[in-house]
Structures are given as C-alpha cells and as structure tokens.
Amino acid sequence: ISLSIPSKSTVGLMGPTGCGKTTTIDIILGLLESQKGTLEVDGKVITKKNIRSWQSLIGYVPQNIYFSDDTVAANIAFGVDSKDITQNSLEKAAKIACVHDFIINELPRQYQTTIGERGVRLSGGQCQRIGIARALYHNPQLLILDEATSALDYETEKAIIDAINNLSKKITIILIAHRLNTLKICDKIFVLDKGELKNQGTFEELIVNNKYVV
C-alpha cells in the first residue's frame, strides 16, 4: 500500500473485514512497524527516536474504548491529573462529540459523575461519544476514527459526522468504515481489499462504479 494524505484533509479508509484497514492505521499510529517502506510525515521518516512526538499529535478513537471506574471528566481527559483538567476543554470536546447536553441534563453529578468500570452505566452510543470527546480533548492535529460511529443511531451518527465536518480544514481526519455512506464528507476515499489499495477517489467518483455498498 502506498498512499498520501494531505495535511488538514479528511480521508476515508473502507473495505471488508480483513482488508488491511486496521493494519494500515496501526502503522500510521506507530503501533506496528512496517516490514518494508516508511511512514513519513512532512517528508520526515518516523523512527523509534521520534515516534513519541508523532503520537502526541494524534487523537484516536478505537472500536472498543477503555473506560476507568472514574468520573466522566477523568475519562474524557484520560491520563491528565485531576487538578490539571480544565472545564472549558472538557466542554469544548464534549460539544463536538455531541455528548455535552447528555452529561449536563441526564447525569446526576454532570462531569463529576462516576461512570463505572468499562462504562457500565452508559449506553454503547454514549460510550463512543465520550471516546470521541477524549480524542479531541488534547487538540490533536490528526484525528483517527476507527468505525467510531458504528454503535450510534442514524441521527446521532449524522450529528457527529456534521461536527467532525466542522473540524475539517483545521486538522487532518482519517475515518475508517465498512460502508461508503459514512464517508460522504471525505475529500478522498481509499478502498482496500486483501491488503492492497484497490481504488481511490471522492464519494461521487466511487458511487458511479456501483461496486460499493452505500
């Protein structure tokens, strides 16, 4: 696979299970080292020496999000000492992730509500939205969403995609999905299959082929 992602663009990765989407993302995240070739950012090769500084620029939302038995605030600002968490940053991230109103109106202690181990007191959709807020809390330059809206109903998914769209042109965004329709907002979509890049283009260009599930 050889692909180029322009800075501050929104791109999609799509393809069936086992096509190589997650492996490609793991290489971009620096979790896997490619056996051949290189990962380059602005022409600079990412190595073991600079991988930490690269990873510090990334916000990542996996399919399965880990939650600690702690407050909503601590789970959004994950890894930040409680005395260093800022309310403005919490609310800004939560609003983009469409979860602020839920936290304020439906949780007994709002951002200080304890959500239970693995987020047992929240629905799957609420967990995913808090996971997205977590990824946004640190103002990433690259945001990666790995099937991050798969557990959401249509209206919530649309609200979050619209919110992500509002971020476009400010940061670089990579969306991973099985379905083409989820990737409508992308500037370019890369289609993977069996570990190879099979096609690329805009939503309109790919839909013309009638080969991809909307």
Side-chain angles (χ1 to χ4, degrees):
I1 290 173
S2 178
L3 52 88
S4 179
I5 299 171
S7 177
K8 295 183 173 60
S9 67
T10 299
V11 303
L13 284 182
M14 69 166 285
T17 301
C19 70
K21 299 189 298 289
T22 300
T23 303
T24 302
I25 290 304
D26 283 349
I27 290 171
I28 292 172
L29 288 167
L31 301 176
L32 284 179
E33 197 172 340
S34 57
Q35 293 169 313
K36 292 180 181 178
T38 56
L39 168 64
E40 296 182 20
V41 179
D42 292 338
K44 189 172 186 178
V45 177
I46 301 300
T47 65
K48 288 178 181 176
K49 289 183 178 179
N50 59 18
I51 189 69
R52 289 292 180 203
S53 58
W54 165 236
Q55 289 171 332
S56 70
L57 304 176
I58 302 173
Y60 174 57
V61 187
Q63 292 180 51
N64 300 304
I65 300 157
Y66 170 79
F67 290 99
S68 60
D69 188 7
D70 208 332
T71 63
V72 172
N75 273 285
I76 291 176
F78 196 68
V80 177
D81 194 292
S82 57
K83 69 178 187 301
D84 296 323
I85 297 173
T86 64
Q87 189 65 26
N88 282 347
S89 297
L90 283 176
E91 293 187 10
K92 180 182 175 186
K95 284 174 182 175
I96 295 171
C98 301
V99 74
H100 173 73
D101 288 347
F102 163 75
I103 294 168
I104 294 297
N105 298 323
E106 297 188 42
L107 295 183
R109 297 189 61 217
Q110 300 180 341
Y111 282 89
Q112 297 309 311
T113 304
T114 300
I115 61 174
E117 193 172 351
R118 298 189 304 278
V120 292
R121 294 180 188 150
L122 302 174
S123 71
Q126 288 153 0
C127 285
Q128 282 196 308
R129 283 181 277 172
I130 286 175
I132 293 168
R134 176 190 292 174
L136 293 168
Y137 179 83
H138 296 284
N139 293 315
Q141 292 186 32
L142 169 63
L143 177 65
I144 299 175
L145 296 104
D146 188 352
E147 300 277 2
T149 59
S150 58
L152 304 178
D153 60 77
Y154 173 78
E155 288 301 324
T156 305
E157 180 183 47
K158 184 177 183 302
I160 288 179
I161 292 295
D162 287 345
I164 291 167
N165 200 24
N166 289 335
L167 283 172
S168 66
K169 308 302 180 247
K170 297 173 188 170
I171 63 174
T172 307
I173 301 170
I174 301 176
L175 299 175
I176 303 157
H178 279 96
R179 294 169 66 235
L180 187 58
N181 210 38
T182 308
L183 305 176
K184 266 186 181 179
I185 67 168
C186 294
D187 301 307
K188 181 179 272 191
I189 299 165
F190 298 102
V191 182
L192 305 182
D193 193 21
K194 296 176 183 173
E196 294 182 1
L197 180 60
K198 292 292 187 182
N199 208 338
Q200 58 184 292
T202 64
F203 175 83
E204 289 76 16
E205 287 167 348
L206 293 178
I207 205 75
V208 167
N209 296 337
N210 293 322
K211 288 168 62 179
Y212 303 108
V213 178
V214 176

mmCIF file of all heavy atoms in Angstrom, residues 109-151:
data_model
loop_
_atom_site.group_PDB
_atom_site.id
_atom_site.type_symbol
_atom_site.label_atom_id
_atom_site.label_comp_id
_atom_site.label_asym_id
_atom_site.label_seq_id
_atom_site.Cartn_x
_atom_site.Cartn_y
_atom_site.Cartn_z
ATOM 1 N N ARG A 109 -24.327 14.047 38.621
ATOM 2 C CA ARG A 109 -23.278 14.997 39.028
ATOM 3 C C ARG A 109 -22.546 15.554 37.803
ATOM 4 O O ARG A 109 -21.395 15.975 37.885
ATOM 5 C CB ARG A 109 -22.294 14.313 39.994
ATOM 6 C CG ARG A 109 -22.947 13.864 41.297
ATOM 7 C CD ARG A 109 -21.920 13.407 42.311
ATOM 8 N NE ARG A 109 -21.011 14.496 42.647
ATOM 9 C CZ ARG A 109 -19.697 14.322 42.885
ATOM 10 N NH1 ARG A 109 -19.164 13.118 42.811
ATOM 11 N NH2 ARG A 109 -18.934 15.354 43.186
ATOM 12 N N GLN A 110 -23.239 15.517 36.668
ATOM 13 C CA GLN A 110 -22.692 16.060 35.422
ATOM 14 C C GLN A 110 -21.292 15.501 35.137
ATOM 15 O O GLN A 110 -21.126 14.286 35.099
ATOM 16 C CB GLN A 110 -22.754 17.586 35.454
ATOM 17 C CG GLN A 110 -24.182 18.097 35.612
ATOM 18 C CD GLN A 110 -24.297 19.586 35.661
ATOM 19 O OE1 GLN A 110 -23.358 20.316 35.924
ATOM 20 N NE2 GLN A 110 -25.503 20.086 35.392
ATOM 21 N N TYR A 111 -20.299 16.348 34.943
ATOM 22 C CA TYR A 111 -18.958 15.862 34.580
ATOM 23 C C TYR A 111 -18.267 15.113 35.722
ATOM 24 O O TYR A 111 -17.284 14.403 35.493
ATOM 25 C CB TYR A 111 -18.065 17.016 34.095
ATOM 26 C CG TYR A 111 -18.360 17.447 32.680
ATOM 27 C CD1 TYR A 111 -19.312 18.436 32.415
ATOM 28 C CD2 TYR A 111 -17.713 16.853 31.599
ATOM 29 C CE1 TYR A 111 -19.608 18.823 31.117
ATOM 30 C CE2 TYR A 111 -17.995 17.237 30.290
ATOM 31 C CZ TYR A 111 -18.941 18.216 30.060
ATOM 32 O OH TYR A 111 -19.226 18.600 28.761
ATOM 33 N N GLN A 112 -18.789 15.254 36.933
ATOM 34 C CA GLN A 112 -18.193 14.566 38.084
ATOM 35 C C GLN A 112 -18.909 13.246 38.401
ATOM 36 O O GLN A 112 -18.661 12.626 39.431
ATOM 37 C CB GLN A 112 -18.203 15.479 39.313
ATOM 38 C CG GLN A 112 -17.362 16.738 39.141
ATOM 39 C CD GLN A 112 -15.945 16.438 38.654
ATOM 40 O OE1 GLN A 112 -15.262 15.569 39.213
ATOM 41 N NE2 GLN A 112 -15.507 17.136 37.611
ATOM 42 N N THR A 113 -19.795 12.801 37.508
ATOM 43 C CA THR A 113 -20.485 11.521 37.683
ATOM 44 C C THR A 113 -19.527 10.372 37.403
ATOM 45 O O THR A 113 -18.825 10.363 36.392
ATOM 46 C CB THR A 113 -21.691 11.420 36.722
ATOM 47 O OG1 THR A 113 -22.556 12.541 36.930
ATOM 48 C CG2 THR A 113 -22.465 10.131 36.943
ATOM 49 N N THR A 114 -19.514 9.401 38.319
ATOM 50 C CA THR A 114 -18.699 8.196 38.099
ATOM 51 C C THR A 114 -19.463 7.259 37.167
ATOM 52 O O THR A 114 -20.646 6.981 37.386
ATOM 53 C CB THR A 114 -18.407 7.479 39.437
ATOM 54 O OG1 THR A 114 -17.698 8.387 40.280
ATOM 55 C CG2 THR A 114 -17.557 6.243 39.211
ATOM 56 N N ILE A 115 -18.776 6.775 36.126
ATOM 57 C CA ILE A 115 -19.485 6.020 35.084
ATOM 58 C C ILE A 115 -19.370 4.502 35.238
ATOM 59 O O ILE A 115 -19.974 3.753 34.479
ATOM 60 C CB ILE A 115 -19.020 6.426 33.663
ATOM 61 C CG1 ILE A 115 -17.531 6.138 33.459
ATOM 62 C CG2 ILE A 115 -19.331 7.891 33.422
ATOM 63 C CD1 ILE A 115 -17.065 6.378 32.043
ATOM 64 N N GLY A 116 -18.595 4.044 36.227
ATOM 65 C CA GLY A 116 -18.488 2.607 36.454
ATOM 66 C C GLY A 116 -17.449 1.954 35.569
ATOM 67 O O GLY A 116 -17.072 2.475 34.521
ATOM 68 N N GLU A 117 -16.972 0.801 36.004
ATOM 69 C CA GLU A 117 -15.940 0.084 35.257
ATOM 70 C C GLU A 117 -16.444 -0.272 33.860
ATOM 71 O O GLU A 117 -17.571 -0.733 33.696
ATOM 72 C CB GLU A 117 -15.538 -1.190 36.009
ATOM 73 C CG GLU A 117 -14.275 -1.832 35.470
ATOM 74 C CD GLU A 117 -13.786 -2.965 36.348
ATOM 75 O OE1 GLU A 117 -14.326 -3.135 37.462
ATOM 76 O OE2 GLU A 117 -12.884 -3.678 35.921
ATOM 77 N N ARG A 118 -15.601 -0.003 32.862
ATOM 78 C CA ARG A 118 -15.914 -0.229 31.443
ATOM 79 C C ARG A 118 -17.144 0.583 31.000
ATOM 80 O O ARG A 118 -17.799 0.232 30.022
ATOM 81 C CB ARG A 118 -16.103 -1.719 31.127
ATOM 82 C CG ARG A 118 -14.862 -2.557 31.376
ATOM 83 C CD ARG A 118 -15.014 -3.967 30.842
ATOM 84 N NE ARG A 118 -16.179 -4.645 31.379
ATOM 85 C CZ ARG A 118 -16.219 -5.252 32.564
ATOM 86 N NH1 ARG A 118 -15.155 -5.243 33.344
ATOM 87 N NH2 ARG A 118 -17.313 -5.862 32.972
ATOM 88 N N GLY A 119 -17.471 1.640 31.732
ATOM 89 C CA GLY A 119 -18.595 2.497 31.342
ATOM 90 C C GLY A 119 -19.936 1.817 31.430
ATOM 91 O O GLY A 119 -20.834 2.095 30.634
ATOM 92 N N VAL A 120 -20.119 0.931 32.452
ATOM 93 C CA VAL A 120 -21.332 0.109 32.528
ATOM 94 C C VAL A 120 -22.611 0.935 32.688
ATOM 95 O O VAL A 120 -23.701 0.446 32.392
ATOM 96 C CB VAL A 120 -21.241 -0.936 33.676
ATOM 97 C CG1 VAL A 120 -20.202 -1.970 33.363
ATOM 98 C CG2 VAL A 120 -20.954 -0.257 35.007
ATOM 99 N N ARG A 121 -22.477 2.172 33.152
ATOM 100 C CA ARG A 121 -23.680 2.982 33.365
ATOM 101 C C ARG A 121 -24.073 3.772 32.125
ATOM 102 O O ARG A 121 -24.998 4.580 32.162
ATOM 103 C CB ARG A 121 -23.456 3.942 34.543
ATOM 104 C CG ARG A 121 -23.307 3.210 35.869
ATOM 105 C CD ARG A 121 -23.087 4.121 37.039
ATOM 106 N NE ARG A 121 -22.775 3.331 38.226
ATOM 107 C CZ ARG A 121 -22.013 3.738 39.213
ATOM 108 N NH1 ARG A 121 -21.470 4.941 39.171
ATOM 109 N NH2 ARG A 121 -21.786 2.969 40.254
ATOM 110 N N LEU A 122 -23.363 3.561 31.044
ATOM 111 C CA LEU A 122 -23.642 4.294 29.807
ATOM 112 C C LEU A 122 -24.032 3.330 28.698
ATOM 113 O O LEU A 122 -23.646 2.159 28.706
ATOM 114 C CB LEU A 122 -22.400 5.081 29.374
ATOM 115 C CG LEU A 122 -21.827 6.093 30.367
ATOM 116 C CD1 LEU A 122 -20.523 6.653 29.822
ATOM 117 C CD2 LEU A 122 -22.823 7.205 30.647
ATOM 118 N N SER A 123 -24.787 3.830 27.726
ATOM 119 C CA SER A 123 -25.106 3.022 26.550
ATOM 120 C C SER A 123 -23.892 2.959 25.623
ATOM 121 O O SER A 123 -22.930 3.725 25.779
ATOM 122 C CB SER A 123 -26.296 3.633 25.796
ATOM 123 O OG SER A 123 -25.888 4.844 25.164
ATOM 124 N N GLY A 124 -23.956 2.072 24.643
ATOM 125 C CA GLY A 124 -22.855 1.961 23.681
ATOM 126 C C GLY A 124 -22.605 3.262 22.940
ATOM 127 O O GLY A 124 -21.463 3.679 22.739
ATOM 128 N N GLY A 125 -23.685 3.939 22.556
ATOM 129 C CA GLY A 125 -23.555 5.206 21.832
ATOM 130 C C GLY A 125 -22.944 6.295 22.698
ATOM 131 O O GLY A 125 -22.104 7.073 22.235
ATOM 132 N N GLN A 126 -23.351 6.341 23.974
ATOM 133 C CA GLN A 126 -22.787 7.337 24.890
ATOM 134 C C GLN A 126 -21.300 7.077 25.127
ATOM 135 O O GLN A 126 -20.496 8.010 25.182
ATOM 136 C CB GLN A 126 -23.565 7.319 26.211
ATOM 137 C CG GLN A 126 -24.963 7.905 26.086
ATOM 138 C CD GLN A 126 -25.942 7.341 27.103
ATOM 139 O OE1 GLN A 126 -25.585 6.498 27.926
ATOM 140 N NE2 GLN A 126 -27.185 7.784 27.036
ATOM 141 N N CYS A 127 -20.936 5.796 25.243
ATOM 142 C CA CYS A 127 -19.520 5.439 25.406
ATOM 143 C C CYS A 127 -18.703 5.905 24.207
ATOM 144 O O CYS A 127 -17.605 6.453 24.365
ATOM 145 C CB CYS A 127 -19.375 3.924 25.576
ATOM 146 S SG CYS A 127 -19.855 3.305 27.203
ATOM 147 N N GLN A 128 -19.239 5.690 23.009
ATOM 148 C CA GLN A 128 -18.490 6.088 21.814
ATOM 149 C C GLN A 128 -18.337 7.606 21.740
ATOM 150 O O GLN A 128 -17.283 8.109 21.365
ATOM 151 C CB GLN A 128 -19.177 5.549 20.551
ATOM 152 C CG GLN A 128 -18.881 4.064 20.336
ATOM 153 C CD GLN A 128 -19.213 3.613 18.934
ATOM 154 O OE1 GLN A 128 -20.310 3.844 18.446
ATOM 155 N NE2 GLN A 128 -18.282 2.940 18.291
ATOM 156 N N ARG A 129 -19.383 8.330 22.141
ATOM 157 C CA ARG A 129 -19.295 9.789 22.096
ATOM 158 C C ARG A 129 -18.282 10.317 23.122
ATOM 159 O O ARG A 129 -17.546 11.269 22.838
ATOM 160 C CB ARG A 129 -20.680 10.409 22.323
ATOM 161 C CG ARG A 129 -21.548 10.319 21.067
ATOM 162 C CD ARG A 129 -22.900 10.933 21.269
ATOM 163 N NE ARG A 129 -23.820 10.000 21.905
ATOM 164 C CZ ARG A 129 -25.025 10.326 22.344
ATOM 165 N NH1 ARG A 129 -25.462 11.573 22.238
ATOM 166 N NH2 ARG A 129 -25.801 9.424 22.892
ATOM 167 N N ILE A 130 -18.224 9.689 24.284
ATOM 168 C CA ILE A 130 -17.223 10.085 25.275
ATOM 169 C C ILE A 130 -15.818 9.725 24.766
ATOM 170 O O ILE A 130 -14.856 10.459 24.974
ATOM 171 C CB ILE A 130 -17.528 9.452 26.651
ATOM 172 C CG1 ILE A 130 -18.717 10.190 27.274
ATOM 173 C CG2 ILE A 130 -16.306 9.520 27.586
ATOM 174 C CD1 ILE A 130 -19.210 9.616 28.573
ATOM 175 N N GLY A 131 -15.715 8.605 24.055
ATOM 176 C CA GLY A 131 -14.433 8.230 23.446
ATOM 177 C C GLY A 131 -13.974 9.257 22.412
ATOM 178 O O GLY A 131 -12.780 9.574 22.322
ATOM 179 N N ILE A 132 -14.914 9.784 21.634
ATOM 180 C CA ILE A 132 -14.584 10.825 20.646
ATOM 181 C C ILE A 132 -14.165 12.110 21.362
ATOM 182 O O ILE A 132 -13.197 12.764 20.976
ATOM 183 C CB ILE A 132 -15.777 11.066 19.697
ATOM 184 C CG1 ILE A 132 -16.013 9.823 18.821
ATOM 185 C CG2 ILE A 132 -15.537 12.287 18.808
ATOM 186 C CD1 ILE A 132 -17.318 9.827 18.050
ATOM 187 N N ALA A 133 -14.892 12.457 22.443
ATOM 188 C CA ALA A 133 -14.523 13.646 23.233
ATOM 189 C C ALA A 133 -13.110 13.491 23.794
ATOM 190 O O ALA A 133 -12.326 14.441 23.815
ATOM 191 C CB ALA A 133 -15.534 13.858 24.364
ATOM 192 N N ARG A 134 -12.772 12.275 24.244
ATOM 193 C CA ARG A 134 -11.423 12.021 24.773
ATOM 194 C C ARG A 134 -10.363 12.303 23.708
ATOM 195 O O ARG A 134 -9.335 12.924 23.990
ATOM 196 C CB ARG A 134 -11.313 10.574 25.258
ATOM 197 C CG ARG A 134 -9.914 10.202 25.722
ATOM 198 C CD ARG A 134 -9.786 8.710 25.961
ATOM 199 N NE ARG A 134 -10.585 8.288 27.097
ATOM 200 C CZ ARG A 134 -10.734 7.004 27.454
ATOM 201 N NH1 ARG A 134 -10.153 6.049 26.749
ATOM 202 N NH2 ARG A 134 -11.463 6.679 28.510
ATOM 203 N N ALA A 135 -10.612 11.827 22.507
ATOM 204 C CA ALA A 135 -9.640 12.017 21.422
ATOM 205 C C ALA A 135 -9.471 13.493 21.075
ATOM 206 O O ALA A 135 -8.401 13.917 20.637
ATOM 207 C CB ALA A 135 -10.085 11.235 20.185
ATOM 208 N N LEU A 136 -10.532 14.283 21.275
ATOM 209 C CA LEU A 136 -10.490 15.714 20.924
ATOM 210 C C LEU A 136 -9.959 16.596 22.052
ATOM 211 O O LEU A 136 -9.576 17.738 21.814
ATOM 212 C CB LEU A 136 -11.897 16.183 20.540
ATOM 213 C CG LEU A 136 -12.479 15.594 19.250
ATOM 214 C CD1 LEU A 136 -13.963 15.901 19.162
ATOM 215 C CD2 LEU A 136 -11.741 16.128 18.038
ATOM 216 N N TYR A 137 -9.936 16.072 23.279
ATOM 217 C CA TYR A 137 -9.577 16.890 24.444
ATOM 218 C C TYR A 137 -8.192 17.516 24.299
ATOM 219 O O TYR A 137 -7.969 18.650 24.700
ATOM 220 C CB TYR A 137 -9.640 16.035 25.717
ATOM 221 C CG TYR A 137 -9.266 16.812 26.973
ATOM 222 C CD1 TYR A 137 -10.210 17.602 27.630
ATOM 223 C CD2 TYR A 137 -7.974 16.772 27.492
ATOM 224 C CE1 TYR A 137 -9.872 18.330 28.766
ATOM 225 C CE2 TYR A 137 -7.623 17.496 28.624
ATOM 226 C CZ TYR A 137 -8.577 18.273 29.257
ATOM 227 O OH TYR A 137 -8.236 18.998 30.376
ATOM 228 N N HIS A 138 -7.259 16.781 23.713
ATOM 229 C CA HIS A 138 -5.878 17.255 23.635
ATOM 230 C C HIS A 138 -5.577 18.041 22.351
ATOM 231 O O HIS A 138 -4.411 18.238 22.012
ATOM 232 C CB HIS A 138 -4.918 16.066 23.751
ATOM 233 C CG HIS A 138 -5.002 15.372 25.082
ATOM 234 N ND1 HIS A 138 -4.454 15.889 26.229
ATOM 235 C CD2 HIS A 138 -5.606 14.211 25.447
ATOM 236 C CE1 HIS A 138 -4.693 15.064 27.243
ATOM 237 N NE2 HIS A 138 -5.402 14.057 26.795
ATOM 238 N N ASN A 139 -6.632 18.454 21.643
ATOM 239 C CA ASN A 139 -6.463 19.244 20.415
ATOM 240 C C ASN A 139 -5.490 18.568 19.428
ATOM 241 O O ASN A 139 -4.437 19.124 19.090
ATOM 242 C CB ASN A 139 -5.952 20.657 20.740
ATOM 243 C CG ASN A 139 -6.978 21.466 21.490
ATOM 244 O OD1 ASN A 139 -8.147 21.479 21.136
ATOM 245 N ND2 ASN A 139 -6.551 22.116 22.561
ATOM 246 N N PRO A 140 -5.835 17.381 18.966
ATOM 247 C CA PRO A 140 -4.918 16.660 18.070
ATOM 248 C C PRO A 140 -4.797 17.341 16.709
ATOM 249 O O PRO A 140 -5.705 18.046 16.281
ATOM 250 C CB PRO A 140 -5.593 15.291 17.917
ATOM 251 C CG PRO A 140 -7.060 15.582 18.074
ATOM 252 C CD PRO A 140 -7.112 16.654 19.137
ATOM 253 N N GLN A 141 -3.672 17.116 16.050
ATOM 254 C CA GLN A 141 -3.504 17.583 14.674
ATOM 255 C C GLN A 141 -3.975 16.523 13.686
ATOM 256 O O GLN A 141 -4.268 16.826 12.534
ATOM 257 C CB GLN A 141 -2.038 17.954 14.428
ATOM 258 C CG GLN A 141 -1.605 19.187 15.201
ATOM 259 C CD GLN A 141 -0.204 19.628 14.844
ATOM 260 O OE1 GLN A 141 0.246 19.470 13.707
ATOM 261 N NE2 GLN A 141 0.504 20.185 15.808
ATOM 262 N N LEU A 142 -4.022 15.264 14.159
ATOM 263 C CA LEU A 142 -4.550 14.154 13.360
ATOM 264 C C LEU A 142 -5.580 13.422 14.198
ATOM 265 O O LEU A 142 -5.295 13.008 15.324
ATOM 266 C CB LEU A 142 -3.426 13.193 12.952
ATOM 267 C CG LEU A 142 -3.857 11.850 12.334
ATOM 268 C CD1 LEU A 142 -4.607 12.053 11.019
ATOM 269 C CD2 LEU A 142 -2.648 10.938 12.125
ATOM 270 N N LEU A 143 -6.796 13.288 13.683
ATOM 271 C CA LEU A 143 -7.867 12.564 14.368
ATOM 272 C C LEU A 143 -8.199 11.313 13.561
ATOM 273 O O LEU A 143 -8.504 11.403 12.371
ATOM 274 C CB LEU A 143 -9.110 13.454 14.505
ATOM 275 C CG LEU A 143 -10.349 12.816 15.139
ATOM 276 C CD1 LEU A 143 -10.088 12.451 16.598
ATOM 277 C CD2 LEU A 143 -11.553 13.764 15.039
ATOM 278 N N ILE A 144 -8.130 10.140 14.210
ATOM 279 C CA ILE A 144 -8.432 8.868 13.543
ATOM 280 C C ILE A 144 -9.636 8.235 14.229
ATOM 281 O O ILE A 144 -9.625 8.020 15.446
ATOM 282 C CB ILE A 144 -7.229 7.903 13.604
ATOM 283 C CG1 ILE A 144 -6.015 8.515 12.894
ATOM 284 C CG2 ILE A 144 -7.584 6.558 12.982
ATOM 285 C CD1 ILE A 144 -4.741 7.677 13.012
ATOM 286 N N LEU A 145 -10.678 7.965 13.456
ATOM 287 C CA LEU A 145 -11.881 7.329 13.989
ATOM 288 C C LEU A 145 -12.064 5.963 13.334
ATOM 289 O O LEU A 145 -12.370 5.876 12.139
ATOM 290 C CB LEU A 145 -13.110 8.212 13.757
ATOM 291 C CG LEU A 145 -13.077 9.549 14.499
ATOM 292 C CD1 LEU A 145 -12.736 10.687 13.540
ATOM 293 C CD2 LEU A 145 -14.414 9.843 15.166
ATOM 294 N N ASP A 146 -11.863 4.908 14.122
ATOM 295 C CA ASP A 146 -11.923 3.534 13.624
ATOM 296 C C ASP A 146 -13.315 2.970 13.882
ATOM 297 O O ASP A 146 -13.613 2.497 14.974
ATOM 298 C CB ASP A 146 -10.851 2.688 14.337
ATOM 299 C CG ASP A 146 -10.727 1.296 13.729
ATOM 300 O OD1 ASP A 146 -11.554 0.939 12.871
ATOM 301 O OD2 ASP A 146 -9.802 0.566 14.114
ATOM 302 N N GLU A 147 -14.180 3.040 12.866
ATOM 303 C CA GLU A 147 -15.580 2.582 12.993
ATOM 304 C C GLU A 147 -16.232 3.236 14.215
ATOM 305 O O GLU A 147 -17.033 2.617 14.914
ATOM 306 C CB GLU A 147 -15.635 1.054 13.132
ATOM 307 C CG GLU A 147 -15.052 0.283 11.974
ATOM 308 C CD GLU A 147 -16.028 0.103 10.822
ATOM 309 O OE1 GLU A 147 -17.154 0.630 10.924
ATOM 310 O OE2 GLU A 147 -15.668 -0.557 9.838
ATOM 311 N N ALA A 148 -15.883 4.496 14.483
ATOM 312 C CA ALA A 148 -16.244 5.140 15.750
ATOM 313 C C ALA A 148 -17.716 5.498 15.854
ATOM 314 O O ALA A 148 -18.180 5.870 16.926
ATOM 315 C CB ALA A 148 -15.384 6.380 15.969
ATOM 316 N N THR A 149 -18.458 5.428 14.764
ATOM 317 C CA THR A 149 -19.888 5.739 14.843
ATOM 318 C C THR A 149 -20.748 4.495 14.620
ATOM 319 O O THR A 149 -21.959 4.591 14.456
ATOM 320 C CB THR A 149 -20.275 6.819 13.800
ATOM 321 O OG1 THR A 149 -19.950 6.333 12.486
ATOM 322 C CG2 THR A 149 -19.524 8.114 14.051
ATOM 323 N N SER A 150 -20.119 3.312 14.661
ATOM 324 C CA SER A 150 -20.835 2.078 14.301
ATOM 325 C C SER A 150 -21.951 1.717 15.282
ATOM 326 O O SER A 150 -22.920 1.066 14.900
ATOM 327 C CB SER A 150 -19.848 0.908 14.186
ATOM 328 O OG SER A 150 -19.160 0.731 15.413
ATOM 329 N N ALA A 151 -21.836 2.130 16.562
ATOM 330 C CA ALA A 151 -22.863 1.779 17.550
ATOM 331 C C ALA A 151 -23.928 2.858 17.709
ATOM 332 O O ALA A 151 -24.776 2.766 18.581
ATOM 333 C CB ALA A 151 -22.203 1.502 18.908
#
